[in-house]
C-alpha cells in the first residue's frame, strides 16, 4: 500500500511540480517533475511500486527514490512488503507511520487554530476539560490492557511499568483546570462529549484485543524517536501561555505532564519489546498494527472536531449533567 499524505496538495505548473502541506513544500523540476507527473496519479490504486512501474517510463530505482524521498518528508507512506522487514526496520516503519498520521491530526482545523493562537476561551478550556477525560480514561483502558497473560513476563513488565507511570495523571490536569476558575464538581461529575467517549471507547476496545492492538495505539502518541528537551517543552507552552493567558494554569499542567513523560523516556515505542518477542510477527499482525495506528488517528480527529462544535460560548463550560432515571416514576 502506497499513501500520499491526506493533507498534501499537488500543483503541476509545467516546468515545476509542487507537492506541499502546511509544514513543507517540495518543488521538482526537469526530469524529476516529469517523474512526479507520471507516478503520483498512480499511487492511490497501487499496492506497491511494482504496480506503478509499468505505467511510467522510469525505472524501479527512480520510483523507489521518489517514494522514499516523499516518505522521509512525511508526505507519503510506503506500507508495501512490510512482511519482509526485519524487526528493527519494522519498528522504524511504525515510527514513520506514527509521524505520518500524527501530522494529519495536527493539520486539522481546530488543532491548527489552537496551536497557532486563534482558539476562543471556551474552546481552549473545553479542550482542557475533554483532555482531562481522555487522561482519566487511562485508568480504565490501560488497566484492561495490562490484564493479559499472552506474553512473557519480561515483555509484560514493560507494559505494567507504562501503566503505573501514566495512572493518576488526571489530577495534574484537574488542578490546572481549577486554577483557571472552573469548579471541581462541574468537571468531574459531567459527561465527556460523545466524540471524547468515541476515542476512549475505541482505546478500551483495543485494550480488550491482542497485545499488538493495545500497544499500537501508543505508537501514534509517541511519534518522536527522541523525547523533547525541557527547553523545547517550555518554549511550546510559553507560546500558548502568551496567546491564552487565562489558561496559564492549564498549560502549566500540560508542561508538567510532558516533562514527566520526557524524563521517563516515553518516546520509546511501547510496542517494540512485543515485536522482538513475537519475531517474526505474521503479515496479518503487521498490517493490523498499521491499521490500528490509522484508526487511532481517526478517533483523535473526532475528539478534536467535537470541541469547537460544542464549546461555542462560555455557558457550555458550565456543568453538563449526567443523564439518570433515578427517582423517576413511571405510570403504567
Amino acid at each position: 500500500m502506497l499513501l500520499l499524505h491526506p493533507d498534501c496538495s499537488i500543483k503541476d505548473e509545467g516546468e515545476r511540480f509542487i507537492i506541499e502541506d502546511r509544514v513543507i513544500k517540495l518543488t521538482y523540476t526537469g526530469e524529476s517533475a516529469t517523474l512526479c507527473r507520471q507516478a503520483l496519479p498512480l499511487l492511490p490504486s497501487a499496492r506497491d511500486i511494482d504496480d506503478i512501474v509499468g505505467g511510467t517510463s522510469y525505472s524501479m530505482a527512480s520510483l523507489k527514490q521518489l517514494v522514499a524521498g516523499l516518505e522521509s518528508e512525511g508526505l507519503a507512506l510506503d506500507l508495501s512488503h512490510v512482511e519482509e522487514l526485519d524487526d528493527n526496520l519494522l519498528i522504524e516503519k511504525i515510527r514513520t507511520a506514527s509521524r505520518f498520521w500524527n501530522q494529519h491530526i495536527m493539520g486539522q482545523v481546530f488543532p491548527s487554530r489552537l496551536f497557532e493562537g486563534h482558539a476562543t476561551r471556551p474552546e481552549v478550556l473545553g479542550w482542557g476539560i475533554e483532555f482531562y477525560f481522555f487522561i482519566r480514561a487511562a485508568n480504565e483502558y490501560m488497566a484492561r490492557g495490562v490484564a493479559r497473560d499472552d506474553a512473557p513476563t519480561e515483555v509484560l513488565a514493560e507494559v505494567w511499568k507504562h501503566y503505573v507511570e501514566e495512572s493518576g495523571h488526571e489530577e495534574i490536569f484537574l488542578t490546572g483546570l481549577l486554577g483557571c476558575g472552573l469548579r471541581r464538581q462541574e468537571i468531574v461529575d459531567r459527561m465527556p462529549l460523545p466524540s471524547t467517549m468515541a476515542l476512549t471507547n475505541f482505546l478500551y476496545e483495543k485494550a480488550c484485543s491482542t497485545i499488538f492492538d493495545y500497544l499500537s495505539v501508543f505508537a501514534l502518541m509517541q511519534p518522536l524517536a527522541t523525547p523533547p528537551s525541557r527547553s523545547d517543552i517550555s518554549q511550546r507552552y510559553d507560546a500558548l501561555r502568551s496567546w491564552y493567558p487565562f489558561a496559564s494554569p492549564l498549560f502549566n499542567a500540560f508542561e508538567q505532564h510532558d516533562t514527566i513523560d520526557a524524563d521517563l523516556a516515553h518516546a520509546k515505542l511501547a510496542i517494540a519489546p512485543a515485536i522482538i518477542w513475537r519475531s517474526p510477527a505474521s503479515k496479518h499482525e503487521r498490517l493490523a498494527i498499521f491499521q490500528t495506528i490509522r484508526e487511532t488517528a481517526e478517533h483523535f480527529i473526532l475528539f478534536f472536531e467535537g470541541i469547537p462544535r460544542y464549546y461555542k460560548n462560555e455557558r457550555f463550560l458550565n456543568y453538563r449533567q449526567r443523564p439518570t432515571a433515578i427517582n423517576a416514576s413511571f405510570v403504567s
Side-chain angles (χ1 to χ4, degrees), residues 10-18 33 37:
I10 296 174
K11 299 177 184 177
D12 187 349
E13 298 181 349
E15 292 294 321
R16 303 191 308 164
F17 196 96
I18 300 171
R37 191 174 295 114

Side-chain angles (χ1 to χ4, degrees), residues 146-218:
V146 302
R148 57 178 65 255
D149 59 358
D150 59 350
T153 300
E154 60 267 24
V155 174
L156 293 178
E158 292 294 319
V159 180
W160 299 332
K161 179 174 179 286
H162 186 206
Y163 170 49
V164 170
E165 291 171 348
E166 289 293 340
S167 62
H169 282 189
E170 73 273 9
E171 286 298 320
I172 296 173
F173 294 94
L174 181 57
T175 299
L177 289 167
L178 297 178
C180 297
L182 300 176
R183 292 185 292 181
R184 176 181 290 268
Q185 293 309 116
E186 290 185 340
I187 300 169
V188 300
D189 287 343
R190 70 198 286 151
M191 287 289 291
L193 291 178
S195 46
T196 301
M197 293 181 69
L199 170 60
T200 57
N201 287 344
F202 169 80
L203 297 174
Y204 191 86
E205 288 174 4
K206 290 301 177 181
C208 294
S209 187
T210 69
I211 191 168
F212 275 177
D213 279 346
Y214 170 59
L215 295 178
S216 293
V217 305
F218 297 106

